[in-house]
Amino acid sequence: MVDYWRQGSVAVIAVNNPPVNALSYNVRVGLYNNLDKAANDRDVLAVVICGKGRTFPVGADIHEFGQIPKEPWITDVGRKIESLGKPVIAAIHGTGLGGGLEIALFCHYRIALPNARVGLPEVLIGLLPAGGGAQLLPRLAGIQVAMEMITTGRQLPASEAAKYNIIDKVVSGDIVKEGIEFALRVQNKPFQDKILRYRSPHGKDSLQPITEAVLRKIKMRSRGFYAPVWCVRSIANSVKLPFEEGLAQNRIMFQQMQLSGQAKALQYAFFAERSISKWKLPCGGNFATAVPRKIKTISVIGAGTMGTGITVALLSAGFPVLLVEQNKRFLMKGVQTVQSLLEGGVKRRKFTAEQAKMASSSLTTTVDLQALNSVDLVIEAVFETLSLKEDIFSKLDKICKPEAILCSNTSYLNIDKIAASTRRPDKVVGTHFFSPAHIMRLMENIYGCKTSPETVATVMDLGKRIGKVPVLVGTCPGFCANRMNRPQSEEALFLVEEGAQPEQIDQVLEDFGMPMGPFKVRDLAGGDIGWRSRKDAALHLGLTLSYDLQFFNGERYCSLADKLCELGRFGQKTGSGWYSYDKPGSKQLSIDEDVTKLIQNHRDSLGIKPRKITTQEIQERFLFSGINEGFKILEEGIAARPEDIDIIWLYGFGFPRHYGGPMFYASQIGLKRVYDRICHYHELFPYSSHWMPSKLLQKLSIQEVPIGQWAELHSKL
Ligand SMILES: CCCCCCC[C@H](O)CC(=O)SCCNC(=O)CCNC(=O)[C@H](O)C(C)(C)COP(=O)([O-])OP(=O)([O-])OC[C@H]1O[C@@H](n2cnc3c(N)ncnc32)[C@H](O)[C@@H]1OP(=O)([O-])[O-]
Ligand SMILES: NC(=O)c1ccc[n+]([C@@H]2O[C@H](COP(=O)([O-])OP(=O)(O)OC[C@H]3O[C@@H](n4cnc5c(N)ncnc54)[C@H](O)[C@@H]3O)[C@@H](O)[C@H]2O)c1
């Protein structure tokens, strides 16, 4: 796992542990022993440490966390480097992260290729850099830089790292060759002043103001995530304690953090994110065998909210886009939106003005579907009406070349029905982007019963190529994301009906860690869209929505949202919704007495006596109703694994990552408790079918199987 060779007076120690040279136990042993070998070889005057393959070591092996760490630790390897009596050079390519960078910091010199990146990302998996990073970095780059890097986990490009002295020299060419040349130049020079433990941290006199400023920033963004605060403490130890004591303290903190639910959740999320690309279809096709089609040209149909966002996402990833609208007026408006989104990207430094110009020049437009006869892939984003989508797909089937893939951005509609309007159902697939589509990273891809593995492979690949996080699910109303979100939105309304205030619910869920409470989300998305579809559904059943409606289609119903819409309160865009806003389009909100009165009148008219609703009830009814639906989604095979559902929630709704996602959160609470509470609410609210407990959840609540085995157990049930 660690290679050793000599070139003249230079010993090269190369970590060889694919794919990312993680510092597993055997690697640490290999490093330690080979450093000994170099120390004992009189002809060796300098040592180069590097990584074989694609990268320098990226840190500790995350698979080993949770076990008692076996010695030698990273710090033992570090001490060996410091006391070697010969200069040691870290030669970094790829990513030098976590324990990898820590070893490099123990070295006397660090060189890196221009495209290399370095960082201490431990915080992102709920930990701190306990292999010396929190002690060494402040001594090299200063407290301020160390605080920023360690509390955010940000990776620095080599040039920026060189500005902060983290890298001594940025080199180009072959990193090992460069390392050896560097070693030859320094092998006879004194290097004792390069041992960082003997330095004192830069900026130590400003520790307090720096700490206060960093803690203020953390408080603003952390939403209950505590690892960054522990990271701050670990850096403060570099000032307050002698070096070895600081190391020991940080190791103790690291071990405590490792046992925490947050670290477990973040590490679960890390691996879950990597597992989603390993998809499998019920027909047997899978990621390993299916080959994606080459996609060069794409057309987007519909230049509304979603179509324009999707167009920008594609253009900025370098795809030429042919944008289609129903008439020239809508098309012009859409093009203006695309341009202003691109300009916004430049302002947000997502890309340069030059890149935006290039992207813009790759946009072509038409109001004639016939123009789509040569594109490789089409993404339809017109109104959410099945007949309209069926009509468009049947036309596309005739116009597009036979191998073209036809995607729909539908939020709820059945992909099989849309596919049935074509003679190529194997090439029809759902690509559900989230709003705003040029920013939100989730791409929920939906296969129908006839979608081919090649089509799935193509959209999964496309998602990655445009920087999205593509997750594959099956078809059902609302798929995974919106289907789970629906009972939650309903419960939020019912809670208000029973006595809670919208702002109270929003606050509870924001305190839990959601980026926005459900009423703020409704105001942001615009209440009119849901209102229109509820009116359509009612019309379909020969009903009209009315103020005193308490049941709809056999289910409990709350008409408060309809009432707001009847008053023209659609949310931010109209300047009023569940909250009132400074002006239409503004985000500056305040609680509105009129809404409070409206809610009170609503309760009075239905004879509901408001009761005090606790934080626990709000959290449970919101979260558990969605989780129950998540288990039904697993049970029906709509999602193949809980990891898929969790990643959808992390990227689609900003579920707090330090809880891993709703399914992992449920596993941490204990499925027996979750199941019991769901049964309790089912008894209280028999007219909300979303409280009908999932059978899979019931079975798992008895067996308490670890989350990694749910899918396997389910397939045996
Ligand atoms: C007594 C106490 C002593 C404490 C000492 C503490 C020491 C230290 O401070 C703690 C750490 O270093 S904490 C660590 C700090 N470091 C980090 O947190 C780095 C986390 N890693 C990353 O950020 C990204 O993986 C990279 C940027 C490295 C590569 O990105 P990319 O090119 O897009 O590739 P990709 O698809 O992402 O990964 C490819 C494969 O590698 C796998 N794998 C990756 N890292 C792994 C690891 N550390 N381990 C194991 N496996 C790891 C990954 O699962 C995947 O496997 P699969 O089976 O093929 O699916
Ligand atoms: N808005 C969201 O948050 C969101 C999120 C995810 C998915 N979706 C889905 O995306 C789709 C589009 O939603 P939206 O919010 O962008 O709607 P929108 O009303 O903003 O835009 C739809 C656009 O389609 C155009 N259009 C209608 N018929 C057309 C035709 N025959 N040919 C060409 N263009 C036509 C309309 O002129 C309009 O500009 C829907 O299926 C919706 O369910 C919406």
Side-chain angles (χ1 to χ4, degrees), residues 19-20 22-23 54-55 58-63 65 69 73-75 95 97-100 102 120-122 124-125 127-133 155 251 254-255 258 270-271 274-275 278:
V20 288
L23 298 164
R54 67 198 236 202
T55 183
V58 303
D61 185 342
I62 304 175
H63 295 102
F65 291 163
W73 295 334
I74 286 167
T75 42
T95 40
L97 303 177
E102 289 174 313
L120 292 171
E122 285 84 346
L124 303 176
I125 48 172
L127 299 172
L128 60 84
Q155 295 176 19
R251 193 167 55 241
F254 179 92
Q255 278 161 340
Q258 227 187 330
F270 175 82
F271 288 115
R274 276 141 191 93
S275 73
K278 296 173 182 139

Side-chain angles (χ1 to χ4, degrees), residues 8 87 110 133 241 254 364 667 686:
R110 288 152 294 279
L241 299 174
F254 179 92
T364 48
S667 79

Side-chain angles (χ1 to χ4, degrees), residues 300-308 310 324-327 330-331 333-334 366-367 369 380-385 388-389 391-392 395 408-413 431-436 482 525 529 532:
V300 175
I301 308 182
T305 310
M306 294 307 290
T308 50
I310 295 169
V324 189
E325 252 298 343
Q326 54 179 330
N327 62 43
F330 284 121
L331 188 60
K333 195 166 161 260
T366 182
V367 288
L369 269 191
E380 163 277 312
V382 303
F383 306 129
E384 185 75 344
T385 312
L388 174 62
K389 296 204 192 259
D391 179 49
I392 289 181
K395 285 182 182 146
S408 174
N409 185 50
T410 175
S411 325
Y412 282 91
L413 300 172
T431 47
H432 181 207
F433 290 82
F434 283 65
S435 180
N482 287 336
I529 301 165
R532 203 180 315 129

Side-chain angles (χ1 to χ4, degrees), residues 143-144 147 202-216 232 235-236 239-240:
I143 304 270
Q144 181 86 51
M147 286 277 185
H202 303 314
K204 64 177 184 176
D205 297 335
S206 318
L207 178 66
Q208 195 176 337
I210 295 176
T211 303
E212 281 166 11
V214 171
L215 285 175
R216 269 197 301 276
V232 170
I235 299 162
V239 175
K240 293 179 181 163

Side-chain angles (χ1 to χ4, degrees), residues 690-704:
H690 56 246
W691 284 120
M692 176 80 77
S694 141
K695 291 194 185 66
L696 176 64
L697 173 60
Q698 185 197 12
K699 291 198 171 115
L700 289 169
S701 74
I702 300 164
Q703 303 200 16
E704 286 285 350

